[in-house]
Amino acid sequence: MASTVSGATDASPTAVRVVDESVTKKVALAALVGTALEWYDFFLFTTAAALVFNAQFFVSQDPFVAAMGSFATLAVGFVARPIGGFVFGALGDKVGRKKILMVTIVGIGIVTGLIGLLPNYMTIGLAAPILLVALRIVQGLAVGGEWSGAVIIAVENAPVEKRARYAALPQIGSPIGTILSSGGFFGMLFLVGQSNFDAWGWRIPFIAAIPLLAISLWIRSRLSESPEFEALMESGETEHAPIRGVLKNSWRQILVGMCSALLGIGGFYLITSFVVFYGTKVLKLPSELLLLGTLLAAALEIGALIWAGRMGEKFGASKVILWGGVASAIIAIPVFLAIDSRNPVLVVLGMVIGVAVLSIPYAVSGTALTALFATKVRYTGVAITSNTAGVISGFVPLIATALVAANNSFWPGAIILLVVSVLTALSGLFLPALSIEEEGMKH
């Protein structure tokens, strides 16, 4: 353990413990499956927001107005995430990581299925977008406690020297969720054609969340509770007011942690959700091409996450975040130039490279964030930090769309990606001084 900073004392009686790595692998796998479903459900919404929600739920003669209404609904879910982070984070620090993870995954899965059954504007009028927003809020609340809990339970079940490796596994749920969601839309487009897809085919991937939920629940029911949290419970040292403690004593950790997570969340939505809209509505590219780019980017992202996780284990999460942010800043403008070329190969290549590079800091963000907070307030701290970053990220496609509508150019997207990359890179400089643990740098 490194020296403790103000507000980050760790009272865990399990600082030195023997770890059964076979259990670690099972927990990491269960966390991965859960986050894959989480991101499948969440990315379904982001892709649908770019492709169909503007026509199904937000009727307007101006496509930019309809798109902004659709992306605003996307942003509403992100606004709900910190509230869910406060609620589920505090509960996770009081009653346990596993119990809360069972609740959040049910909430996410059921809401996604209901969105697939929701009548559109032409059927029930204004009630359609209102109900969509309501469901999105509930989904955002549940997501607010899901990712942070999955990463924490994976980290707390892992050997300290291998935490970067195992913390990267739940992150792979993001590209898997992207592949499943974009693949679902791509497959439906191929099977039923554009007109049937717009009419009803888009609903099938949402409804498929229900059977996927059943599988995820079975796997997650076999999850082992964090030994660190169990030790806190046995010793009676759990935090009774984790929210107050984190906000009072760890606000520096929250601010720096937010910046470290911005690129992996906001940058991803920029290269996927916004680019899908920009490509189809402004560049007049076929939806299938943009979905193919998203699929290939997600597939290669898995390799990037595994590699970056190993680099975090070798060099430390803060260095990976620093240099990953720098790399993303360097490629920000070239990526959008490639997309703006309208050349199918360059468009797909731009999306693939953009997602792969911004995934480097994302791979180790779980390690970095969990190292910022003591065990007894870790769920609360990580949930607040990651979800506040998520709020900012949720508005990225909306802001980019508004700016593009004003000047009909790709430059707003490129500049936003550049700024977010620089903020994430800068956070890598401050993380070591604020962390209560080494971020995997043991070799």
Side-chain angles (χ1 to χ4, degrees), residues 12 49 92 118 141 157 164 223 231 264 304 366 415 421:
S12 171
L118 186 64
L141 291 172
N157 274 280
L223 198 69
I415 297 302
S421 300

Side-chain angles (χ1 to χ4, degrees), residues 309-392:
R310 293 298 177 91
M311 292 301 99
E313 182 181 325
K314 186 175 182 180
F315 299 110
S318 58
K319 287 186 174 64
V320 174
I321 287 172
L322 168 61
W323 292 111
V326 170
S328 183
I330 291 172
I331 58 95
I333 293 175
V335 159
F336 274 90
L337 283 171
I339 293 167
D340 205 55
S341 72
R342 291 182 170 87
N343 181 293
V345 175
L346 291 179
V347 169
V348 172
L349 192 61
M351 296 179 71
V352 168
I353 292 174
V355 169
V357 175
L358 65 85
S359 295
I360 294 172
Y362 180 67
V364 296
S365 62
T367 317
L369 294 186
T370 54
L372 289 174
F373 303 98
T375 304
K376 63 182 181 179
V377 295
R378 183 170 288 148
Y379 205 142
T380 304
V382 173
I384 291 173
T385 303
S386 61
N387 288 299
T388 306
V391 170
I392 300 171

Side-chain angles (χ1 to χ4, degrees), residues 45-54 70-71 273-274 276-277 280-281:
F45 199 102
T46 62
T47 305
L51 289 178
V52 295
F53 283 172
N54 54 331
S70 183
F71 283 138
S273 185
F274 168 72
V276 168
F277 163 75
T280 55
K281 305 303 181 187

Side-chain angles (χ1 to χ4, degrees), residues 83-108 141-150 152-153 217 220 223 225-226 229 379-380 383 387:
I83 301 173
F86 276 96
V87 174
F88 291 117
L91 288 173
D93 283 326
K94 289 181 179 180
V95 304
R97 284 67 162 123
K98 178 179 177 178
K99 292 178 182 177
I100 299 306
L101 285 172
M102 295 295 286
V103 172
T104 55
I105 199 170
V106 169
I108 295 168
L141 291 172
V143 169
E146 169 61 33
W147 177 86
S148 47
I152 287 169
I153 204 167
L217 274 176
R220 185 158 282 186
L223 198 69
E225 180 57 270
S226 157
F229 181 79
Y379 205 142
T380 304
N387 288 299

Side-chain angles (χ1 to χ4, degrees), residues 57-58 118 125-137:
F57 297 98
F58 302 93
L118 186 64
L126 190 60
I130 292 175
L131 288 173
L132 181 65
V133 170
L135 289 172
R136 179 62 173 174
I137 290 172

Side-chain angles (χ1 to χ4, degrees), residues 198-246:
D198 291 340
W200 55 266
W202 66 269
R203 297 180 180 274
I204 305 303
F206 280 90
I207 297 171
I210 300 300
L212 290 175
L213 170 62
I215 297 170
S216 299
L217 274 176
W218 178 77
I219 294 174
R220 185 158 282 186
S221 66
R222 302 159 65 87
L223 198 69
S224 297
E225 180 57 270
S226 157
E228 291 188 17
F229 181 79
E230 287 182 333
L232 283 176
M233 290 286 287
E234 291 172 3
S235 64
E237 296 180 15
T238 53
E239 179 64 57
H240 296 295
I243 295 176
R244 183 177 61 189
V246 165

